[in-house]
Amino acid sequence: MPRKKGVPLRRSCGTMAVHMALLEKNPAFRARQFRFEQDVARRRTLGVSVAKLKPVTVDVVVNVVYKTDVQNVSDAQIKSQIAVLNRDYSAKNPDRSKAPAPWKGLVTDSRVRFKLAKVRRVHTSKSSFGFDDGVKKASTGGVPPLEPQKYLNLWVCALSGGLLGYAQFPGGPPATDGVVINYRAFGTKGSAEAPFNLGRTATHEVGHYLNLRHIWGDTEDCSGSDYVPDTPNCAGPNYGTPTFPTVTCNNGPNGDMFMNYMDYVDDKAMFMFTAQQVLRMRVALEGPRSGLI
Ligand SMILES: [Zn+2]
């Protein structure tokens, strides 16, 4: 099928670029990130059973920043995105059954739920935004977050450079806290376009917002880590719809867990979080993101 002009061919997420810039200019953020890793490690040694975690609900503010009518996504499209987040984060997504046999037992309900609290619509003269947080400031054609300590702010807008979205990790500046999603990869209807029309760009980016890393650890030489012990070490991002097993970094016989939400595959090829990813999310929700719950 021919692709419409401007549709990204493969997933691209700006989170690590934003993260590296923030680490550079904000030593306090760097210190908080370091402390967070210590908290996760401590929590892991306690042997917490994620199946016993109490479900928590995160209230969501959706900021629609639009220039054209198609970018002004409908309430129905917004609801379709919230529904996907709830399905994926509770492991009720039907495609979880496609998890390869060795990893079926790792498919985990995050015990995080999402509730739409408010939709804000802002007209802009900007044709598109980058990952410089421009969409989060009025002076650059965007809108600041609404009470980011209390709400998960999602911005929906046109993004340039084939970017599907980006997020800010916990512990960063409130003025830019939240998740940005390309209107062409948001929800499951309206302006959402294949292969990113199953709402999983937000599933991935909210994962970052709750402190999950890309499963390849953001280096392409097997040296990086996502700080999650139940996702295999792997070399780099997987794209499209890979075939199991895809072996890299001596991680055979099962290979890369490319069906994890924190890889770069197409929406229909990702369908699981693991127990240890859920633990990381919980430490974020009880620590730097405790205002949400
Ligand atoms: Zn990402």
Side-chain angles (χ1 to χ4, degrees):
M1 197 174 73
R3 283 172 188 277
K4 282 186 232 168
K5 193 170 170 286
V7 179
L9 284 168
R10 55 187 206 171
R11 186 174 304 282
S12 166
C13 148
T15 297
M16 287 315 288
V18 173
H19 181 59
M20 291 306 168
L22 200 51
L23 284 177
E24 278 288 307
K25 67 181 183 205
N26 192 329
F29 174 64
R30 199 155 61 221
R32 283 193 290 272
Q33 283 275 307
F34 181 73
R35 259 198 321 272
F36 179 83
E37 294 307 334
Q38 293 178 313
D39 288 347
V40 174
R42 204 172 304 129
R43 189 72 182 267
R44 193 176 293 131
T45 57
L46 295 176
V48 180
S49 165
V50 293
K52 289 187 186 139
L53 294 175
K54 192 169 146 283
V56 294
T57 299
V58 172
D59 288 323
V60 183
V61 172
V62 176
N63 304 287
V64 181
V65 181
Y66 66 98
K67 183 178 186 192
T68 66
D69 284 348
V70 67
Q71 293 165 3
N72 190 14
V73 299
S74 68
D75 287 347
Q77 189 171 347
I78 292 168
K79 282 183 187 136
S80 77
Q81 180 62 74
I82 301 293
V84 169
L85 286 173
N86 277 317
R87 237 176 2 250
D88 288 352
Y89 276 79
S90 59
K92 291 209 164 64
N93 50 304
D95 55 354
R96 72 187 185 281
S97 65
K98 293 194 288 185
W103 294 329
K104 273 201 196 307
L106 287 178
V107 178
T108 305
D109 173 358
S110 74
R111 310 268 164 167
V112 184
R113 310 292 181 255
F114 301 88
K115 190 164 147 276
L116 182 62
K118 197 179 173 73
V119 177
R120 301 196 294 170
R121 296 180 183 278
V122 177
H123 186 260
T124 186
S125 58
K126 295 272 282 192
S127 296
S128 70
F129 295 91
F131 56 78
D132 59 356
D133 294 321
V135 74
K136 304 170 184 172
K137 282 179 227 128
S139 61
T140 46
V143 60
L146 180 70
E147 297 183 72
Q149 287 90 347
K150 193 174 155 200
Y151 298 111
L152 158 57
N153 275 259
L154 289 182
W155 286 265
V156 186
C157 63
L159 286 173
S160 56
L163 204 60
L164 292 186
Y166 65 97
Q168 183 171 293
F169 287 111
T176 48
D177 202 13
V179 168
V180 183
I181 308 287
N182 193 323
Y183 76 101
R184 306 173 93 156
F186 182 79
T188 61
K189 48 179 80 170
S191 59
E193 293 172 26
F196 305 112
N197 58 347
L198 299 180
R200 268 138 181 195
T201 296
T203 302
H204 174 105
E205 297 301 339
V206 171
H208 287 311
Y209 173 84
L210 296 174
N211 222 22
L212 297 190
R213 302 301 181 100
H214 293 134
I215 57 155
W216 67 95
D218 297 292
T219 64
E220 304 210 3
D221 60 1
C222 303
S223 69
S225 173
D226 62 355
Y227 310 112
V228 172
D230 58 4
T231 58
N233 189 29
C234 61
N238 291 284
Y239 295 101
T241 55
T243 309
F244 176 84
T246 297
V247 175
T248 66
C249 300
N250 298 313
N251 63 10
N254 300 325
D256 297 2
M257 190 185 278
F258 57 79
M259 65 294 301
N260 192 286
Y261 293 123
M262 300 318 289
D263 204 341
Y264 266 7
V265 296
D266 289 349
D267 277 13
K268 69 176 176 202
M270 51 168 60
F271 38 76
M272 66 182 283
F273 287 122
T274 66
Q276 292 294 334
Q277 285 178 315
V278 168
L279 182 69
R280 274 182 81 78
M281 292 193 247
R282 183 56 60 138
V283 176
L285 283 163
E286 291 178 354
R289 295 235 178 267
S290 59
L292 296 173
I293 59 172

